[in-house]
Amino acid sequence: MKLTSKGRYAVMALVDLARFDNINPVSLRDISLRQGISLDYLEQIFSKLKKNEIVKSIRGTQGGYVLNKKPNDIKLTNIFHAVDEKVKTVQCKKESKKGCNGKATKCITHNLWDELETHINTFFENKSLKDLLNNNKETRI
Amino acid sequence: MKLTSKGRYAVMALVDLARFDNINPVSLRDISLRQGISLDYLEQIFSKLKKNEIVKSIRGTQGGYVLNKKPNDIKLTNIFHAVDEKVKTVQCKKESKKGCNGKATKCITHNLWDELETHINTFFENKSLKDLLNNNKETRI
DNA sequence: CTAAACTTGACTATTTTAGTCAGGTATATA
DNA sequence: TATATACCTGACTAAAATAGTCAAGTTTAG
């Protein structure tokens, strides 16, 4: 099980953004350069972040992106949800008629995977952008 | 981030095996039928489980597989490790010269991903086959 | 008016996943 | 001893997901 680049990039970019948006909007070009992420790819990601009201955009020269909420109110859950990074541990549909794998009985490890999913999601719900900013004060450039 | 079928199947198959191996070795054919997993795929998986000394094999008619340890001593970690299901949250090599993404500075979210990885692995280290058997006593066929 | 920056949608190479397929070899049992 | 059952091994492959690229815009500060 691995985290995709899209999810990782989204978080990296937002942390980067959060550190610099106090004064002016931050351009994707800058984030791209600082974080080593393709500009085109960042554009896709920020389009989703915007749709989910995590960031606001300002067009034109000197434009860029700004956080749309306080860092403390942006949880990893929100970010991942925005970019479609979901935690999936089971194949079977929840509450489907037949249960798991088209079988009559619930698959024997179903509870386990549900537990795992909850365990991971809890982590994401308890981490906000603010936590990450605090974490990185030491290594601030 | 999602769990692959290989990891999920490995656990499902072992739980199935653990429930039936008290008397005789369990054939992959039976597991395949009960769990709805392709026999050929199961063979690949069990080859790895055997190499990692999680199961023993008995060849020939009436043969099959048997657990090689007590259910309490088989943790999810061991199973996942055996079938190469690893938890990967970072792209960058740990302790590489350049740090993350070929950059001079450690990527700003590195600690976060390490934390996440640990969080998930802790779950796997604390769950054993025995826990799963207990969990499913109610639904036992 | 023009360069910087956001906006949108389509396209694609690569990698991973989830298997299949085709041959084996060992052994219990009749 | 014949045979069916079951393990064993390696190569192959279709489909999906990932991680982007590419092209053609629109907006706006200066």
Side-chain angles (χ1 to χ4, degrees):
Chain A
M1 60 187 322
K2 63 166 182 272
L3 192 70
T4 64
S5 288
K6 191 181 282 182
R8 202 181 322 109
Y9 288 170
V11 176
M12 286 170 67
L14 282 173
V15 173
D16 186 289
L17 176 57
R19 290 157 105 190
F20 289 92
D21 85 332
N22 310 314
I23 315 135
N24 296 312
V26 180
S27 74
L28 293 190
R29 194 174 154 279
D30 285 354
I31 297 178
S32 164
L33 290 173
R34 279 197 294 262
Q35 302 302 327
I37 304 170
S38 141
L39 178 58
D40 283 312
Y41 205 25
L42 272 179
E43 276 167 352
Q44 281 184 40
I45 291 169
F46 271 76
S47 151
K48 296 182 185 215
L49 292 174
K50 191 189 168 188
K51 266 184 202 136
N52 283 265
E53 298 178 325
I54 290 168
V55 296
K56 275 184 300 194
S57 67
I58 293 137
R59 301 184 72 157
T61 318
Q62 302 301 319
Y65 286 93
V66 181
L67 290 185
N68 200 11
K69 295 173 182 177
K70 272 173 273 177
N72 197 38
D73 294 330
I74 303 177
K75 309 291 183 191
L76 286 203
T77 306
N78 307 133
I79 302 173
F80 284 156
H81 177 259
V83 300
D84 304 311
E85 170 89 44
K86 18 186 186 252
V87 177
K88 280 201 75 179
T89 56
V90 272
Q91 205 78 3
C92 41
K93 312 266 187 197
K94 284 186 180 184
E95 314 301 342
S96 82
K97 287 164 279 176
K98 289 264 190 168
C100 307
N101 292 338
K103 296 208 145 194
T105 51
K106 210 177 189 184
C107 61
I108 50 185
T109 51
H110 193 106
N111 292 339
L112 173 70
W113 310 129
D114 271 354
E115 247 184 273
L116 171 58
E117 216 167 285
T118 303
H119 187 252
I120 297 175
N121 280 323
T122 299
F123 183 91
F124 293 150
E125 278 155 23
N126 289 330
K127 281 279 178 211
S128 74
L129 259 195
K130 193 184 172 202
D131 299 326
L132 300 179
L133 290 172
N134 292 340
N135 254 355
N136 280 283
K137 261 184 183 154
E138 307 86 10
T139 53
R140 205 150 183 160
I141 300 165
Chain B
M1 63 185 320
K2 62 164 182 273
L3 192 70
T4 65
S5 288
K6 190 182 282 183
R8 200 179 325 108
Y9 287 172
V11 176
M12 286 169 69
L14 282 173
V15 172
D16 185 290
L17 175 57
R19 290 157 105 192
F20 289 92
D21 84 334
N22 310 314
I23 315 135
N24 296 311
V26 180
S27 73
L28 293 190
R29 193 174 155 279
D30 285 354
I31 296 179
S32 164
L33 290 173
R34 279 196 294 261
Q35 302 302 327
I37 305 170
S38 139
L39 178 58
D40 283 312
Y41 205 25
L42 272 179
E43 275 170 352
Q44 280 182 41
I45 292 169
F46 272 76
S47 150
K48 295 183 185 214
L49 293 174
K50 192 189 167 187
K51 268 185 201 132
N52 284 264
E53 297 176 324
I54 290 170
V55 296
K56 275 183 299 191
S57 67
I58 292 140
R59 302 185 72 157
T61 318
Q62 303 300 320
Y65 285 93
V66 180
L67 290 185
N68 199 12
K69 296 173 182 176
K70 273 173 274 179
N72 197 37
D73 294 331
I74 303 178
K75 310 292 183 190
L76 286 203
T77 306
N78 307 132
I79 301 173
F80 284 156
H81 178 259
V83 299
D84 304 310
E85 170 90 44
K86 14 185 190 254
V87 178
K88 280 201 75 179
T89 56
V90 273
Q91 205 79 359
C92 43
K93 310 268 188 194
K94 284 187 181 181
E95 314 300 344
S96 80
K97 287 163 279 176
K98 290 264 192 169
C100 307
N101 292 338
K103 298 208 145 196
T105 51
K106 211 176 186 183
C107 61
I108 50 186
T109 49
H110 193 106
N111 292 339
L112 173 68
W113 309 130
D114 271 354
E115 247 186 273
L116 172 57
E117 214 168 287
T118 302
H119 186 253
I120 297 175
N121 280 322
T122 300
F123 183 89
F124 293 150
E125 277 155 23
N126 289 330
K127 281 277 179 212
S128 72
L129 260 196
K130 194 187 170 196
D131 299 327
L132 300 178
L133 290 173
N134 292 340
N135 253 353
N136 280 284
K137 261 184 182 151
E138 307 86 11
T139 53
R140 204 153 186 158
I141 300 165

